Structures are given as structure tokens and as C-alpha cells.
């Protein structure tokens, strides 16, 4: 429980709450006094010691349910054995013991730990930790159910009914339809577990960080409206933003090193202590940093968006294995080496002179993509995330969108950040509709708030 509380405190800090070490110790002391049997007292002890700012209360309420509900889920989902279920249990022990997987037998027996283990394993395989928005709920629910098909539960159900029929066990207080009804009841319990798990995971990431993460009053201003003086004023704020992102990532890495909650092992070991979970166990997962390739339109209309993107990306480049950057207008130039030789802001200032491209020509996305295809496609692989930032205004020239299809086929993901409102995409000389089918995701990115949100999603 101590580890779970410390994990909860780190989650609170990640959401912006300020919790000191002494306050953390007070929380542990408080819980040791009131215990955890009385959920209300347990929650009150944590709230009294950890929340000193009213703005942190919503985050506390959400995270408390997210972090401390697994046991309540187990209690809620605990299934009582009916006479038919007891008869089925008896038959499985006497006639088919050892012939089915532990997961299937655990499910039929109403073993919540086995059912939860299947749900958690499927959720991890489906990438549930990537959920960020409520609108993704249906998508991840479907993915998790699909992954659960790998346990072969339906197939084993048919085999169990056939086997019991062969052994003449049917008709003695149990029929095939009874077994299918029990199976469907267990499946509905697991579907409920999945829905609850998705809801709790989404809650962990719900809500934006406090506005203090963004430059004062400038986070919502369009890049195109910023003056050079305002851009200079934003530099210190960006440094502070990067620092907070790194702090949050450091916290996330500590969580990752600790691993995901291993409920089956925790409950198994708890049997040695009369069912009390004295020790909590976690499954560890190695982080894959990946590589980043950026293609930045640096024409006048997109320059501000591109420069902020490069600033944030290179400030966080230690979060990736490698970052390679290209800038373009009508031609393409690599500027990775410029960032290797100069401090970030100085490097951005020198891009204009060292990229080796004509900044005063007409933007030509088609030629730029073709150049990348001919000269650099071999640097893209399944560990590469490609980010294109530009307004897609192609001056009515050939768009060569088929190149994006080739890039997407080799890359891990392809993102397009457009500095224009989405309602403008496709208007006039915008070829954005031509590019959309060949990117993993396209986002409107008109201001620093939207850009920082993308960077956070990228590095998390």
C-alpha cells in the first residue's frame, strides 16, 4: 500500500499539485493511523495531508478513483457460485482437470484475479496507456476485446461442452446451455472490467496542465500574430515549459521503471499473509525512444510555427535516440548539423544562412517530397516518427502525395502540423486534402498551446 500511495502522490504532482516530501510522509503516517478498511477515512487522510490548494481538488478526486479502485472493482465483480456453477466446478475438477488453460479455468470458476490478468494483459497489448481523450474509449474497447481473442476462450468453451457430453456428464443438473450462460456472464463481467479500466486510464490523462505551463497570455496567440519582441519575451517561458515537461517525463520514467501493477502476483503473495496485500508487485516494460525526422516549411507564413517546433523538439532531444531536421521552401536542406554546432536559439537564427536553400522562392511541396524520396527515404524505418509542419499551400504545383504514402509505409508514424485553421484546409492552393490520406494524424497547430500539447503527446 505504501508503494501505491507514493505512486498516487507522484500522479498528483504530475497533474500540477505541489506536494513536499514532508507532506508525503504525513500522508503515509495518516494512512497508518486510519488504515484502509474505511475507504472514507482513508481518502480523508490523503486529502487532508496532500491537498492545500483548492485547484488540486478535481485532480485529487479523479486520481483517487483511478489509483485506488482496483480492489473495489474486484469486490464489485466478485461472483457468487450458483448450484449450476458449483456442479460445473465439480465436473471440471473430476473430469477435465488439466485439459484447459489456467485463464479459461479461472474464468469459468469466477476467479477475478485470472479475469483481471487477461484484461490487463490485453489492455497492455492494445496500448491503452496511449489513451488521451474520451473520444478514444470505443477504439480502445474494441482493440482490447480483439486482443482477448488470443486466449481462445470461445474455442475452449466448445471443447469443454463436447468433452462433458462425451463423458456422459450432461443431464445431471447441467446442460450445454447452462455452461454457455455461465460463460456469457463471465464475459460480461470482463467487459465491465474493460470499460472501467479504460475509464480510469483516460481519467489519469484528462485535463490540460495548468495555464502556468504556458507563456503569460501568449499561449493562445496565433504564431502569425506574434511580433519579434513577443517572440523574444517567450523564450524564458519556453525554457520553463521545457523544464516542466522534463520533470513530468522524469516522473513518468520512474513509473515506467517501476512497471505496471501485477495484480495476479500481488494477490498470490498476499495469500501468505491471510489475503492482505503487504507487498505490491509490478511488471517492468522497457521504453523505446525512437527516432524523429522533421520537415519544416520555413517560408514566411510558417516560419514562426517551425522555429518554435524546432526549439521545443531540440530542447527535448534527449527523449529520443536521434533527431534529424530538414527545412524547405521550394528546395530541401538538412540542418541537423547546425543544431549540433550551436546553442538552440543561435542555431535557429543561423538556419536561414546555413540551410543552403532559397528562402525567397515559391513553396513547392511536391518537389520537396520528391527530393526527400530520392535522397533520404532510406533513413526512415519502423522506429522513425516523421513530423511535417507546413500550411500545405503548394502554389498550384504538383503535390506528389504518393511520396507520403511511401514514407508512411516505412515509418512508425507520420504527423502533419498545419498552422492554418482546419476550415481553411483545401481552400485556394491548399493541397491538404491530398496529403491527409497518407498521414497517421494531422493537427491544427496555430499557437504555442497547441504545439506544446503535441510535443507532450509525442514525448509521453
Amino acid at each position: 500500500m505504501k508503494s501505491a500511495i507514493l505512486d498516487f502522490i507522484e500522479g498528483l504532482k504530475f497533474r500540477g499539485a505541489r506536494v513536499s516530501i514532508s507532506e508525503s510522509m504525513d500522508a503515509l503516517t495518516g494512512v497508518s493511523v486510519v488504515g484502509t478498511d474505511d475507504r472514507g477515512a482513508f481518502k480523508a487522510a490523503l486529502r487532508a495531508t496532500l491537498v492545500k490548494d483548492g485547484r488540486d481538488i478535481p485532480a485529487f478526486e479523479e486520481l483517487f478513483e483511478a489509483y485506488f479502485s482496483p480492489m473495489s472493482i474486484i469486490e464489485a465483480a466478485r461472483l457468487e457460485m450458483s448450484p449450476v456453477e458449483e456442479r460445473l466446478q465439480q465436473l471440471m475438477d473430476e473430469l477435465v482437470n488439466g485439459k484447459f488453460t489456467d485463464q479459461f479455468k479461472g474464468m469459468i470458476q469466477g476467479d477475478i484475479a485470472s479475469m483481471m490478468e487477461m484484461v490487463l494483459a490485453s489492455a497492455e497489448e492494445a496500448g491503452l496507456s496511449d489513451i488521451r481523450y474520451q473520444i478514444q474509449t470505443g477504439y480502445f474497447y474494441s482493440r482490447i476485446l480483439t486482443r482477448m481473442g488470443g486466449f481462445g476462450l470461445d474455442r475452449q468453451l466448445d471443447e469443454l461442452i463436447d468433452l462433458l457430453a462425451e463423458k456422459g456428464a450432461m443431464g445431471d443438473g447441467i446442460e450445454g446451455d447452462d455452461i454457455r450462460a455461465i460463460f456469457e456472464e463471465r464475459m460480461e463481467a470482463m467487459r465491465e472490467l474493460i470499460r472501467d479500466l479504460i475509464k480510469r486510464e483516460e481519467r489519469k490523462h484528462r485535463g490540460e496542465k495548468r495555464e502556468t505551463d504556458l507563456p503569460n497570455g501568449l499561449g493562445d496567440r496565433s504564431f502569425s500574430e506574434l511580433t519579434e519582441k513577443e517572440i523574444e519575451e517567450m523564450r524564458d517561458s519556453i525554457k520553463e515549459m521545457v523544464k516542466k515537461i522534463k520533470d513530468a517525463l522524469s516522473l513518468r520514467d520512474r513509473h515506467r521503471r517501476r512497471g505496471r501493477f501485477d495484480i495476479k502476483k500481488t494477490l498470490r503473495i498476499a495469500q501468505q499473509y491471510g489475503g492482505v496485500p503487504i507487498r505490491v508487485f509490478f511488471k517492468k516494460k522497457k521504453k523505446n525512444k525512437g527516432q524523429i525526422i522533421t520537415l519544416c516549411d520555413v517560408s514566411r507564413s510558417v516560419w514562426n510555427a517551425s522555429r518554435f517546433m524546432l526549439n521545443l523538439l531540440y530542447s527535448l532531444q534527449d527523449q529520443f535516440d536521434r533527431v534529424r531536421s530538414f527545412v524547405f521552401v521550394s528546395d530541401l536542406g538538412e540542418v541537423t548539423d547546425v543544431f549540433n554546432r550551436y546553442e538552440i536559439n543561435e542555431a535557429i537564427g543561423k538556419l536561414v544562412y546555413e540551410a543552403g536553400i532559397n528562402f525567397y522562392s515559391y513553396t513547392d511541396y511536391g518537389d520537396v517530397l520528391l527530393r526527400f524520396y530520392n535522397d533520404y527515404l532510406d533513413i526512415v524505418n519502423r522506429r522513425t516518427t516523421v513530423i511535417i509542419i507546413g500550411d500545405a499551400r503548394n502554389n498550384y504545383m504538383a503535390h506528389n502525395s504518393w511520396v507520403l504514402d511511401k514514407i508512411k509505409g516505412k515509418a512508425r508514424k507520420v504527423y502533419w502540423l498545419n498552422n492554418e485553421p482546419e476550415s481553411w484546409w483545401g481552400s485556394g492552393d491548399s493541397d491538404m486534402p491530398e496529403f491527409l490520406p497518407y498521414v497517421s494524424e494531422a493537427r491544427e497547430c496555430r499557437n504555442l498551446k497547441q504545439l506544446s500539447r503535441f510535443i507532450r503527446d509525442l514525448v509521453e
Side-chain angles (χ1 to χ4, degrees):
M1 181 53 71
K2 179 181 177 182
S3 298
I5 293 172
L6 292 177
D7 199 33
F8 171 68
I9 292 172
E10 290 177 345
L12 270 179
K13 291 162 73 175
F14 178 74
R15 290 288 294 271
R18 294 185 177 182
V19 182
S20 67
I21 295 177
S22 62
E23 288 165 341
S24 300
M25 297 303 296
D26 288 344
L28 293 173
T29 303
V31 171
S32 69
V33 172
V34 302
T36 57
D37 292 339
D38 185 335
R39 183 176 168 85
F42 171 57
K43 182 178 180 180
L46 291 180
R47 178 167 168 171
T49 51
L50 300 175
V51 179
K52 55 182 181 292
D53 188 326
R55 294 177 297 173
D56 297 331
I57 292 177
F60 176 89
E61 295 292 337
E62 288 184 11
L63 292 177
F64 183 84
E65 295 301 323
Y67 277 81
F68 298 112
S69 59
M71 298 308 292
S72 62
I73 290 175
I74 291 173
E75 291 299 325
R78 193 178 297 283
L79 304 173
E80 295 183 0
M81 300 281 279
S82 66
V84 174
E85 289 170 327
E86 289 178 352
R87 175 59 179 157
L88 176 59
Q89 177 62 53
Q90 181 186 1
L91 290 174
M92 291 190 70
D93 291 341
E94 294 175 355
L95 302 177
V96 300
N97 191 28
K99 291 186 172 59
F100 296 93
T101 64
D102 291 340
Q103 291 89 351
F104 178 75
K105 288 187 293 185
M107 172 197 177
I108 292 297
Q109 293 165 0
D111 180 358
I112 300 299
S114 294
M115 295 162 67
M116 196 67 187
E117 181 191 24
M118 283 190 281
V119 169
L120 291 175
S122 301
E124 184 171 1
E125 190 176 341
L128 179 60
S129 58
D130 292 335
I131 192 172
R132 291 294 182 274
Y133 309 106
Q134 195 170 12
I135 197 173
Q136 297 174 295
T137 299
Y139 169 75
F140 279 102
Y141 179 74
S142 176
R143 281 176 64 90
I144 294 172
L145 281 181
T146 301
R147 298 307 187 278
M148 286 194 65
F151 290 104
L153 300 177
D154 291 320
R155 174 183 53 77
Q156 293 186 76
L157 170 65
D158 293 335
E159 292 176 357
L160 173 62
I161 293 174
D162 291 344
L163 186 60
L164 290 178
E166 289 176 6
K167 292 181 178 292
M170 293 298 186
D172 186 14
I174 191 168
E175 299 290 348
D177 289 344
D178 296 326
I179 300 175
R180 292 189 185 281
I182 293 171
F183 178 84
E184 180 52 35
E185 184 180 338
R186 301 292 192 262
M187 284 300 298
E188 181 53 35
M190 286 203 290
R191 286 192 283 267
E192 184 62 31
L193 287 172
I194 293 171
R195 286 190 284 268
D196 198 274
L197 181 65
I198 293 173
K199 186 177 179 181
R200 288 186 292 111
E201 193 67 26
E202 186 269 329
R203 279 181 177 176
K204 289 182 182 180
H205 304 285
R206 185 184 299 171
E208 298 297 328
K209 308 296 182 290
R210 292 180 183 171
E211 292 303 314
T212 50
D213 284 357
L214 297 170
N216 297 331
L218 296 177
D220 292 314
R221 290 278 301 279
S222 171
F223 288 128
S224 61
E225 297 174 353
L226 294 174
T227 66
E228 285 298 323
K229 183 179 179 182
E230 288 173 332
I231 290 171
E232 289 295 322
E233 290 175 352
M234 292 172 75
R235 285 185 176 175
D236 289 339
S237 298
I238 289 177
K239 287 181 181 177
E240 182 64 22
M241 181 194 304
V242 168
K243 181 178 180 303
K244 289 185 177 181
I245 293 175
K246 286 186 173 180
D247 289 344
L249 292 174
S250 177
L251 175 63
R252 181 64 57 86
D253 287 343
R254 289 204 296 274
H255 285 177
R256 187 173 282 110
R257 285 195 295 272
R258 179 179 299 167
R260 296 179 66 84
F261 181 40
D262 188 343
I263 187 170
K264 186 174 183 181
K265 186 173 182 180
T266 299
L267 292 179
R268 187 174 68 249
I269 299 299
Q271 299 306 313
Q272 303 173 9
Y273 306 99
V276 178
I278 301 296
R279 298 176 61 191
V280 178
F281 295 89
F282 297 86
K283 295 178 180 177
K284 296 183 178 179
K285 183 179 179 182
K286 186 178 179 181
K287 180 184 178 183
N288 183 3
K289 288 186 173 183
Q291 302 172 357
I292 301 291
I293 292 177
T294 64
L295 280 74
C296 300
D297 183 346
V298 290
S299 60
R300 182 183 297 274
S301 59
V302 195
W303 171 234
N304 279 344
S306 293
R307 75 160 80 173
F308 280 118
M309 202 325 238
L310 290 170
N311 191 325
L312 283 172
L313 201 58
Y314 275 93
S315 297
L316 296 165
Q317 62 178 316
D318 57 340
Q319 300 300 317
F320 311 103
D321 288 335
R322 189 178 186 190
V323 178
R324 291 187 69 169
S325 295
F326 300 82
V327 296
F328 66 88
V329 180
S330 63
D331 197 5
L332 182 71
E334 181 170 5
V335 294
T336 306
D337 185 56
V338 181
F339 285 94
N340 293 333
R341 288 186 286 121
Y342 302 102
E343 180 272 336
I344 294 173
N345 287 314
E346 187 177 1
I348 291 174
K350 291 182 178 296
L351 292 182
V352 176
Y353 308 104
E354 302 207 13
I357 63 175
N358 181 2
F359 282 84
Y360 302 101
S361 56
Y362 290 106
T363 309
D364 186 343
Y365 283 82
D367 262 11
V368 167
L369 288 174
L370 201 57
R371 169 74 187 282
F372 185 85
Y373 175 80
N374 290 329
D375 296 345
Y376 300 105
L377 188 62
D378 60 341
I379 68 174
V380 180
N381 56 51
R382 299 308 298 174
R383 299 183 64 248
T384 305
T385 297
V386 178
I387 304 169
I388 301 171
I389 184 165
D391 57 12
R393 297 211 168 269
N394 200 32
N395 296 296
Y396 301 103
M397 290 185 270
H399 49 72
N400 290 332
S401 58
W402 60 270
V403 174
L404 268 185
D405 190 27
K406 299 293 183 183
I407 295 174
K408 185 182 179 184
K410 295 191 65 177
R412 182 182 181 186
K413 284 189 176 179
V414 178
Y415 294 103
W416 191 301
L417 306 181
N418 195 313
N419 62 312
E420 289 189 342
E422 190 170 348
S423 58
W424 293 9
W425 298 359
S427 65
D429 61 345
S430 171
D431 278 334
M432 198 63 194
E434 305 296 335
F435 297 130
L436 281 176
Y438 307 114
V439 299
S440 309
E441 184 180 351
R443 293 193 187 189
E444 183 180 295
C445 189
R446 301 171 55 206
N447 54 48
L448 191 57
K449 180 183 286 186
Q450 292 174 331
L451 178 59
S452 65
R453 190 177 303 152
F454 170 76
I455 294 293
R456 283 180 190 277
D457 290 345
L458 181 69
V459 298
E460 289 177 2

